[in-house]
Amino acid sequence: MNIICIGRNYDEHARELGNEVVRGNPVVFMKPPTALLVNDKPFYYPDFTSDLHYECELVLKICKNGRYVQPEFADSYFEQVTLGIDFTARDLQSKLKAKGHPWEIAKGFDNSAVMGQMISKSELTQENMEFKMLKNGEVVQHGFTKDLVFSFNDIICYVSKFFRLHVGDYIYTGTPKGVGPVKIGDVLEGRIVTKDGAEKRLFQTEVK
Ligand code: MG
């Protein structure tokens, strides 16, 4: 099972970290399956960072095998989505980026991929999905998929040229603005807005 992640897919987030906005092709990286943290389990703050950031993201669950997916079929490759966190050791990542090194150890460490419970995309406003992340009960990120640089379909077409898609793969689609540090004791919660306007909690994790 692959966990494919997209970086800098919302311009306002790219800017808040001082990165160039991305055009052309998406920024792609992977996390290993050992990164998954499910079932609202707590997250234990790792000792190799002192600047751990949350990045709440919509996650697609791939439901068909395929490679070189064409745009007209891309939408049929996922039926369910959820919210997750792409935990990032920002201090470590900054050092790696400065050296031009891969950033896997800053992004793909154990439990760095929080994943919530799946929801059918038919329950959501598919043209513009809306989601929120709350830290200790306060909204810190509020995302809309109309702001994506690369749509879900763009992402599926692009990544399937390099990585054959398998049933059960996950794609983290990037984070909107509002990323920030967490500390021990923080409670992080991801909520999606359904078609009828209700907010549904998809994950909650406590940092320990
Ligand atoms: Mg991210």
Side-chain angles (χ1 to χ4, degrees):
M1 178 258 293
N2 285 329
I3 305 170
I4 299 163
C5 306
I6 306 300
R8 302 176 198 166
N9 203 16
Y10 293 81
D11 285 347
E12 292 296 316
H13 167 63
R15 290 193 188 100
E16 76 181 343
L17 291 184
N19 291 315
E20 280 178 35
V21 299
V22 177
R23 294 294 179 267
N25 292 318
V27 173
V28 180
F29 61 98
M30 310 277 278
K31 294 189 188 233
T34 43
L36 277 184
L37 183 67
V38 298
N39 298 331
D40 291 347
K41 287 186 194 151
F43 174 86
Y44 289 88
Y45 202 110
D47 62 5
F48 50 76
T49 178
S50 52
D51 193 23
L52 181 80
H53 277 207
Y54 60 80
E55 296 187 358
C56 183
E57 313 198 355
L58 274 158
V59 182
L60 315 181
K61 184 176 187 181
I62 296 298
C63 63
K64 290 205 302 201
N65 298 344
R67 57 195 295 267
Y68 278 89
V69 175
Q70 295 303 299
E72 60 268 40
F73 304 118
D75 188 58
S76 67
Y77 277 76
F78 69 103
E79 285 163 359
Q80 293 181 298
V81 305
T82 189
L83 292 172
I85 299 176
D86 165 20
F87 270 128
T88 303
R90 196 69 75 200
D91 43 1
L92 200 49
Q93 186 197 28
S94 298
K95 284 183 199 158
L96 294 164
K97 276 165 67 179
K99 291 183 192 165
H101 289 180
W103 63 34
E104 269 74 8
I105 59 170
K107 285 259 190 198
F109 53 86
D110 287 350
N111 302 329
S112 62
V114 172
M115 197 174 58
Q117 63 180 102
M118 289 289 157
I119 183 167
S120 167
K121 66 182 181 183
S122 65
E123 288 185 55
L124 307 172
T125 307
Q126 290 184 47
E127 319 76 68
N128 188 20
M129 295 179 191
E130 178 182 358
F131 62 102
K132 295 176 183 176
M133 201 193 86
L134 291 81
K135 184 170 97 167
N136 304 324
E138 182 194 336
V139 177
V140 289
Q141 290 189 284
H142 190 180
F144 296 87
T145 55
K146 68 172 172 47
D147 298 325
L148 286 167
V149 178
F150 299 99
S151 69
F152 295 160
N153 290 356
D154 293 339
I155 293 168
I156 286 170
C157 294
Y158 184 72
V159 300
S160 68
K161 294 181 194 178
F162 304 94
F163 308 111
R164 195 167 64 241
L165 296 177
H166 273 134
V167 172
D169 286 348
Y170 299 109
I171 302 179
Y172 282 66
T173 58
T175 197
K177 71 174 177 187
V179 303
V182 297
K183 59 183 189 321
I184 292 171
D186 283 344
V187 176
L188 309 174
E189 180 185 345
R191 293 185 192 170
I192 202 151
V193 179
T194 58
K195 257 192 315 211
D196 57 10
E199 289 186 12
K200 185 168 181 185
R201 179 199 287 171
L202 298 184
F203 73 78
Q204 178 174 274
T205 186
E206 184 179 352
V207 180
K208 294 199 170 193

